[in-house]
Amino acid sequence: MSTEFESETDHSKAVLKIEEATVRFCGDSGDGMQLAGTQLTNTSALAGNDVATFPDFPAEIRAPRGTLAGVSGFQVHFSSTDIYTPGETVDALIAMNPAALKTNIADLKSGGVLIANSDAFDKKSLEQAGYDDNPLDDETLDSYQLFQVPMTDMTRRAVDGLDLSQKEADRCRNFFAMGLAFWLYGRSLEPTRRFIDLKFKKLPAIAEANRRALAAGRNYGETTDAFVSSFSVDKAKLSPGTYRNMTGNQALAWGLMTAAKLSGKELFLGSYPITPASDILHELSRYKNFGVRTFQAEDEIAAICSAIGAAYSGHMALTTSSGPGIALKGEAMGLAVMLELPLLVVNVQRGGPSTGLPTKTEQADLLQVMFGRNGECPLPVISARSPADCFEVAIEAWRVAARFMTPVMILSDGYLANGSEPWRIVNYQDLKPIPITHPEAPTNGKPFLAYERDELLARPWAIPGTPGLMHRVGGLEKADGTGNVSYDPINHQHMTDTRAQKVANVAQVIGDQEVMGDPAGDLLVLSWGGPYGSCRTAVTRLQAEGHKVSHAHLRWLNPFPANLGEILRSFKKVLIPELNMGQLSMLIRNQFLIDTIGLNKVQGKPFQVAEIIDKAESLLP
Amino acid sequence: MAPVELPVLKPGDFGSDQDVRWCPGCGDYSILAQMKKVMAALAWPREKTVFVSGIGCSSRFPYYMNTYGMHSIHGRAPAFATGIKSCRPDLHVFVITGDGDALSIGGNHFMHVVRRNVNLNIILFNNRIYGLTKGQYSPTSELGKITKSTPMGAIDNPMNPLSLAIGCEATFVARSIDVHIKHLADTLKRAAEHPGVSFVEVYQNCNVFNDGAYKYATDKSVKSDNIIEIEHGKPLIFGKNRDKGIRLNGMQPEVVELGKGITEDDLLFHDELAPEPTLAYLLSRMRYPEFPEPIGVLRCVDAPRYDELLNEQVAQARAEKGEGDLDKLFRSGDTWTVE
Ligand SMILES: Cc1ncc(C[n+]2csc(CCOP(=O)(O)OP(=O)(O)O)c2C)c(N)n1
Ligand code: SF4
Ligand SMILES: [Mg+2]
């Protein structure tokens, strides 16, 4: 279904046209802020804006109410131009309680819109948030456009007469806040109304209450004297096509299903729940009619082992996890390398080490996935750069895994997984098939060789059930060709070299590295994964100022594209911004013997464009 | 049409071209030989059979079978096998494991594969020792056992594989002995034919690191007093002269002598089909030297199988929603068009 919504707001007030806006909802983790943010995102996308989001929530499902630890936020950036990040400073902040105000106010730009639920600023909540005095009453917030809105009271009044407990009534507050935000940016209420109808189909009273709260929020903006004007953001000039909004995890799941179909395979997922990867399991388990089989295993080890079993049996095999689970999968990944079976391992990275910051983003597992296994155990590693990019990355990863008979590691991260952006819908017919063949019994009387290699060093994928090809695979070193157990020293050297060369051969199919900007200059910003958007935006701005700066974003981290060394040597300096302490830097220095300059941070947050610009400027002549 | 002549496979046809490398005299040889016989008797196509193992002496088994096979990693064979069977219910999948492999490092997987009732055949070679790593004690080694890693004797209470399997509600539980070749072959065959998870504990002699561990159960002069062959519907009788039996005294089994007023009718009758696992559990608890140890099928019941249920859900989803259509999926829900 394709719909276009016009704003239904009858603007009796002034409407200011703006290019873009960044809005953040924040409140208690029970306040429904993620939902509010998602609705504003979808509605903005449906209105034709480019959007990017950054959900930020605590590790605890319900930290004690009103505490700083329990604050949950969702940031939406929408624009009439192409955007690559969920926004820098916030233009409008909607704070549902003092704790939310306290933890988020620093990101609101000077002069920005601050909408506070004044009903929540009682003595106890202020104390919990560590405020001695009510900041709404003194001069603390003078540099912002403060709007004190008694949301609790207004919501209760809006739902009055419905058969609801006070708790239930108060739970509608987020819809009031949405309604007000929708008014502020001239958004239609219609998509959210449809969402309410669908979501609360079985709870008519709740549905009605939410509908009323939503309308009350909008009417409040329209009628109260406090707001003198609202904003409008034109449609973005996205390339023509039909779009939908997608999170990274959803895009990854759909990409995997698409890859399965393109290769004529059915998908098997072995997984064990872990934040922020679980949504891939949830999403894929819904699509059994696509032949998807999902197995929630007893732990991450069983998850990957079941997937390897599935691969041996001839299926497209997948396992999904995050850093701690990837650590558990290490031994089995080594087996997959040894068996030379195609397998996809997804690591949606989060803050580490150990349990670390489970709901926050980080890129600190690069060296883990490169080297975190016993023995000489290389495997290809690919990374996604944006939520929608996860779709293509999944397909490309499977193309390589199937072609080379190797496990492939897909790196995503919490920021990509939960963030969303518009995805231009593809036509299945336009996608390149992934050819896979399975051998039949040899008819020339020669014995079947399970480890005979083709020109790229891949072995055949013979599957059980095929007469005449019975063979045994295992983790012991095997003789090249036959695959029989071999302890021969020279053979072990040969097999180690062969497995490494096979992974190196992947460079022959992944294409050359592209550079945004001149192929040589003063500074190359080299990035991978989630920082793509911030780096691209930063470099674009620097280029506009006339600096000789270019941007190269790596998709494959192992192997590197064949021309990468040449690119690196064409710049006077190479800056590598990473949400870790310098892991790509280590790989680049090691492989190319060039110096790199790191911009490193592990604060559970993505890079701000300004951070990259500042660092880059300090390096420019 | 003329009937198709299927080639009749003999036990030898199931041997691979690899040299068997167990120590001479190892009980594993006998299990391998009986398995080949069972394979020939079952007459399943070789290409439809997969042997999956973990790590250990016992786990070398798949290399010696001319079927499909995977020698995986320590303790995890049930998980590999679950993946294979879930995707390919048409295959016959065996799990070959040892007491360390299944019960120590792989205890978690063992428990879960059993409770899920995946249609696999799990054969545990129990030699009550770590063979491959040269003689440390295992989770089934008896208290006080002196081994390389327990010079003053083992102080951890051993576990009972059958009790564990029954505790996880295994649908088929049996025990046999490497040298009781006919009994072993019969038991393996029944296990293979059982729909659902089947678990067979095989007493296996490791003549290098734990020789004679099962002397009481294999030595001609004493074995009939120390093991009891149980059969469905039959009373529990044992002894060289078949003059002893097991009687229930309340919830406790007790050894009684037949005659002197005690007849077969007073004895416990075996019922492998009992829906409640209580009787099977009670039998699994009978340990030498207090009791003769049961061999044979303790439990054989029917229950839904994970692999079938999974594939039924796939079929059901297809029947209800139709074969998945990616283009339709991509365009479902809220979309917008840019001209
Ligand atoms: C992860 C891992 N830990 C330890 C080992 C070493 N190891 C190999 S086999 C084994 C014990 C085998 O005992 P069991 O399962 O009883 O098999 P058996 O050799 O007695 O047949 C151990 C500890 C290993 N291969 N892998
Ligand atoms: S060590 Fe023991 S179990 Fe292993 S092969 Fe030798 S006799 Fe058999
Ligand atoms: Mg053992």
Side-chain angles (χ1 to χ4, degrees), chain A residues 156-321:
Chain A
R156 283 182 196 167
R157 274 197 270 158
V159 306
D160 193 33
L162 294 171
D163 188 18
L164 293 184
S165 69
Q166 187 162 101
K167 209 167 158 196
E168 285 170 322
D170 287 351
R171 232 183 262 148
C172 302
R173 267 183 314 219
N174 59 336
F175 283 92
F176 184 94
M178 274 180 247
L180 183 50
F182 287 5
W183 174 79
L184 194 58
Y185 292 99
R187 301 291 180 219
S188 164
L189 303 189
E190 218 29 63
T192 300
R193 287 195 182 122
R194 275 198 281 124
F195 165 82
I196 293 172
D197 291 346
L198 208 68
K199 171 103 187 179
F200 301 103
K201 212 186 317 189
K202 296 208 179 95
L203 302 164
I206 305 270
E208 177 58 18
N210 285 331
R211 237 180 272 126
R212 286 197 201 170
L214 182 72
R218 195 203 66 164
N219 294 341
Y220 180 83
E222 185 64 33
T223 53
T224 181
D225 291 340
F227 292 94
V228 290
S229 58
S230 65
F231 303 103
S232 84
V233 179
D234 275 353
K235 290 183 185 186
K237 279 161 216 67
L238 300 173
S239 41
T242 302
Y243 287 79
R244 64 178 304 125
N245 202 37
M246 289 244 267
T247 66
N249 274 345
Q250 187 186 17
L252 193 61
W254 288 17
L256 292 160
M257 284 161 58
T258 306
K261 180 96 192 237
L262 287 170
S263 60
K265 289 280 164 200
E266 290 189 344
L267 178 62
F268 176 91
L269 166 66
S271 190
Y272 187 77
I274 186 169
T275 303
S278 301
D279 280 340
I280 306 172
L281 166 64
H282 304 160
E283 183 71 10
L284 285 174
S285 60
R286 296 170 55 199
Y287 298 115
K288 299 212 163 54
N289 63 320
F290 286 79
V292 178
R293 286 166 182 75
T294 55
F295 171 56
Q296 183 176 317
E298 55 272 24
D299 61 22
E300 282 88 348
I301 301 175
I304 185 173
C305 294
S306 67
I308 294 172
Y312 183 66
S313 83
H315 276 235
M316 172 177 171
L318 165 72
T319 187
T320 52
S321 193

Side-chain angles (χ1 to χ4, degrees), chain A residues 331, chain B residues 28 55-59 74 76 97-102 105 125 127 129-133 136 138 204:
Chain A
E331 187 192 10
Chain B
D28 291 354
I55 300 290
C57 294
S58 35
S59 287
H74 200 19
R76 323 295 177 192
T97 183
D99 39 325
D101 194 63
I105 193 167
F125 295 21
N127 53 14
I129 200 81
Y130 284 3
L132 192 71
T133 45
Q136 302 83 3
S138 90
Q204 175 241 325

Side-chain angles (χ1 to χ4, degrees), chain B residues 23-38:
Chain B
C23 307
C26 174
D28 291 354
Y29 283 97
S30 161
I31 309 176
L32 178 63
Q34 298 322 308
M35 185 63 88
K36 289 182 191 165
K37 266 191 224 160
V38 169

Side-chain angles (χ1 to χ4, degrees), chain A residues 1-2 45 194 238 240-241 243-244 266 289 293 295 298 305-306 309 313 425 427-428 464-466 472-474 484, chain B residues 18 47 62 67-69 71 79-80 84 88 109 116 306 311 318 322 324 327 330-332 334-338:
Chain A
M1 179 183 28
S2 160
R194 275 198 281 124
L238 300 173
Y243 287 79
R244 64 178 304 125
E266 290 189 344
N289 63 320
R293 286 166 182 75
F295 171 56
E298 55 272 24
C305 294
S306 67
S313 83
I425 295 171
N427 291 315
Y428 176 75
T466 319
R472 277 66 54 193
V473 296
N484 288 333
Chain B
Q18 296 299 292
E47 65 272 13
T67 62
Y68 283 89
H71 178 223
F80 292 93
I84 295 171
R88 296 284 305 276
H109 310 305
R116 288 190 187 108
Y306 180 88
N311 284 283
R318 282 178 157 146
D327 285 322
F330 296 163
R331 286 163 183 77
S332 62
D334 286 339
T335 64
W336 69 98
T337 300
V338 175

Side-chain angles (χ1 to χ4, degrees), chain B residues 188-208:
Chain B
L188 292 177
K189 182 152 180 288
R190 279 204 58 193
E193 286 167 338
H194 172 70
V197 76
S198 41
F199 174 65
V200 182
E201 176 191 21
V202 182
Y203 285 172
Q204 175 241 325
N205 192 41
C206 167
N207 53 309
V208 173

